[in-house]
Amino acid sequence: MGVRNLRLKAFTFGLTIFVITVTTFLLGYTHKHSIDIWKSDSYFLRFSEKLKRLVNIPIRPCSCDACISESKLSPWFDERFNDTIPTLLTKENNEIPEDVYQWWLKLQKEPKPKPFNETVNRLFETLSGEVDFLEASSYRCRRCAVVGNSGNLKNSGYGIWIDNHDFIFRMNRAATVGYEADVGRRTTHQFIYPESAANLQENATLILIPFKVLDIEWVISALTTGTISRTYAMVPRRIKTSRDKIFVYNPIFMKYVYENWMDRHGKYPSTGIMCIVFALHVCDQVDVYGFGADANGNWHHYFENTTKPSGFRKSGVHDADFQANITENLSSINKINFFTGR
Ligand SMILES: *[C@@H]1O[C@H](CO)[C@@H](O)[C@H](O)[C@H]1NC(C)=O
Ligand SMILES: *[C@@H]1O[C@H](CO)[C@@H](O)[C@H](O)[C@H]1NC(C)=O
Ligand SMILES: *[C@@H]1O[C@H](CO)[C@@H](O)[C@H](O)[C@H]1NC(C)=O
Ligand SMILES: *[C@@H]1O[C@H](CO)[C@@H](O)[C@H](O)[C@H]1NC(C)=O
Ligand SMILES: *[C@@H]1O[C@H](CO)[C@@H](O)[C@H](O)[C@H]1NC(C)=O
Ligand SMILES: *[C@@H]1O[C@H](CO)[C@@H](O)[C@H](O)[C@H]1NC(C)=O
């Protein structure tokens, strides 16, 4: 009786250890992999989707209540949204058509641009360039927060809501330290151009929006020799971001935002609208914070002690009112949730 009892105990103990080990492994695995936007789908998800197709169960594009890519809900949206446009330049997909190239070259005219192809090839000798998005899946709801820099975030208390997203996109000089209660502490992706690179969070993925060939050269320099310290303004000589966490926004996608969404208003689209449309393509649900004026109609940044509008607001480079109409439209058809801080 005693021996049996002992064996049973040993068996139960062994089983418990086994279950704990397996559970820990699985939890660790799913946690690690659900957080990483660039990792491909798990085999399990792919397999179950194939199975569903086989037995003819209708497949939704995502598991949220509503999925952005669902069509036939708004003709206005369907006319503009095109899922086949590449979001990033990659090692394999690094060529841009001549018409895109000619349009792009005029954005910030460079006196003597280096050859585009050569520079991009050099870039991908430096970066890993192996982009693999977290693919859309009917078992997955990719929830993203796009956090602009508007002063309307002040005293909003949005921090905990913002941090509660799978991916958190910020732009330009966005700061979090000291503003956590209103803007959150996490950043998964930061969209910048060389002149706006500041406050880069160590572990955030950097997405460079290039406006000239020099911008691509800057990334190479900032990771290697550190020789470029100035474009039309001072730029950081070095960046801390690791090479496998730097990606380049595709000029093809820039032109798509300009034509399909901005209807060619302004000279080129702002970082803000480029970030929102990007999110529409890689997320299933998009919550937008920190865009537009504050309650008193002021256009400024939450991290500046001024209510004066910042740089581009009145320069004519961007058409802020047209852009506001796009986000209002997107919000009115529930493709984005727009938070105004009031
Ligand atoms: C989407 O973009 C592709 C590539 O530019 C183009 O061939 C296609 O016609 C576009 N689709 C729609 C519906 O506009
Ligand atoms: C880059 O190279 C491709 C293939 O050789 C060529 O078709 C394209 O025109 C080049 N693009 C530029 C911007 O030079
Ligand atoms: C960045 O990641 C490393 C390793 O995962 C971690 O130790 C570090 O605390 C992170 N830094 C920030 C600022 O989150
Ligand atoms: C803004 O003003 C506050 C209080 O006057 C000060 O603590 C803070 O450092 C200032 N911030 C900046 C960015 O100048
Ligand atoms: C927003 O939607 C309205 C009504 O469909 C349309 O008239 C307007 O052109 C849209 N605005 C933009 C910027 O596309
Ligand atoms: C956007 O602008 C159009 C025309 O200027 C207007 O009809 C429409 O109501 C605006 N959209 C929203 C959601 O305010």
Side-chain angles (χ1 to χ4, degrees):
M1 199 61 188
V3 173
R4 247 186 94 176
N5 218 341
L6 206 64
R7 273 199 196 141
L8 192 66
K9 270 188 185 154
F11 177 74
T12 316
F13 180 70
L15 191 68
T16 313
I17 294 290
F18 177 74
V19 168
I20 288 176
T21 313
V22 169
T23 318
T24 313
F25 175 75
L26 283 180
L27 278 180
Y29 183 85
T30 33
H31 180 68
K32 188 157 163 261
H33 288 253
S34 67
I35 290 300
D36 201 334
I37 196 171
W38 314 112
K39 290 269 154 62
S40 62
D41 262 5
S42 77
Y43 290 109
F44 171 71
L45 288 188
R46 283 191 190 166
F47 177 72
S48 24
E49 240 139 67
K50 285 204 177 109
L51 202 66
K52 265 189 144 182
R53 282 207 178 92
L54 212 62
V55 293
N56 251 335
I57 300 172
I59 297 172
R60 297 189 59 231
C62 76
S63 67
C64 323
D65 291 340
C67 315
I68 288 169
S69 66
E70 262 164 339
S71 59
K72 301 194 176 71
L73 298 170
S74 155
W76 175 82
F77 182 82
D78 293 349
E79 236 169 64
R80 285 160 180 76
F81 186 77
N82 187 339
D83 228 351
T84 69
I85 310 288
T87 48
L88 299 170
L89 275 182
T90 64
K91 206 170 209 157
E92 285 73 35
N93 235 324
N94 61 9
E95 282 175 14
I96 60 177
E98 190 61 24
D99 64 315
V100 174
Y101 181 62
Q102 290 306 329
W103 172 80
W104 181 77
L105 269 185
K106 289 189 194 113
L107 302 185
Q108 287 182 3
K109 286 186 188 128
E110 238 184 303
K112 284 193 193 118
K114 292 247 167 73
F116 180 83
N117 280 348
E118 228 172 78
T119 313
V120 169
N121 287 337
R122 264 201 300 134
L123 175 75
F124 287 120
E125 281 164 22
T126 309
L127 306 185
S128 81
E130 279 159 27
V131 179
D132 196 357
F133 275 107
L134 187 65
E135 285 169 39
S137 153
S138 49
Y139 291 93
R140 176 179 281 150
C141 179
R142 300 167 299 175
R143 296 178 60 249
C144 304
V146 177
V147 189
N149 295 328
S150 166
N152 72 21
L153 283 169
K154 267 188 188 162
N155 304 317
S156 66
Y158 285 152
I160 54 166
W161 305 106
I162 290 174
D163 278 341
N164 187 27
H165 286 81
D166 299 311
F167 305 114
I168 299 160
F169 297 167
R170 299 185 199 269
M171 279 143 267
N172 302 335
R173 297 175 186 276
T176 50
V177 175
Y179 305 95
E180 290 88 348
D182 293 332
V183 310
R185 51 182 80 242
R186 294 176 55 221
T187 303
T188 61
H189 297 79
Q190 188 139 345
F191 292 70
I192 56 127
Y193 44 93
E195 299 83 8
S196 78
N199 305 314
L200 299 177
Q201 272 192 17
E202 207 180 312
N203 295 343
T205 294
L206 187 158
I207 301 198
L208 173 83
I209 304 185
F211 292 101
K212 48 189 172 322
V213 180
L214 184 57
D215 295 352
I216 298 170
E217 287 182 73
W218 170 75
V219 175
I220 303 170
S221 158
L223 291 170
T224 56
T225 55
T227 44
I228 300 180
S229 62
R230 195 177 174 85
T231 60
Y232 62 80
M234 298 297 285
V235 295
R237 269 179 193 278
R238 303 264 179 200
I239 43 179
K240 287 189 283 189
T241 314
S242 79
R243 288 161 194 240
D244 55 353
K245 289 200 157 192
I246 300 178
F247 296 96
V248 181
Y249 200 98
N250 199 320
I252 300 173
F253 202 83
M254 295 170 84
K255 189 159 179 276
Y256 154 73
V257 175
Y258 184 63
E259 291 177 348
N260 285 35
W261 294 93
M262 285 302 287
D263 207 9
R264 299 169 198 263
H265 280 71
K267 189 169 180 206
Y268 50 84
S270 70
T271 315
I273 193 70
M274 282 200 265
C275 192
I276 291 176
V277 179
F278 187 95
L280 295 177
H281 281 245
V282 302
C283 310
D284 300 308
Q285 183 191 312
V286 172
D287 296 329
V288 176
Y289 302 85
F291 275 73
D294 72 5
N296 302 317
N298 294 315
W299 292 83
H300 61 107
H301 293 148
Y302 64 80
F303 45 80
E304 289 165 353
N305 280 340
T306 167
T307 50
K308 291 214 182 77
S310 41
F312 282 127
R313 169 71 186 153
K314 288 270 176 267
S315 66
V317 172
H318 307 313
D319 188 332
D321 298 319
F322 194 81
Q323 181 181 310
N325 192 262
I326 296 175
T327 49
E328 277 161 19
N329 278 4
L330 284 170
S331 156
S332 73
I333 57 174
N334 299 318
K335 292 294 183 184
I336 62 173
N337 299 308
F338 198 80
F339 296 85
T340 61
R342 276 165 257 160

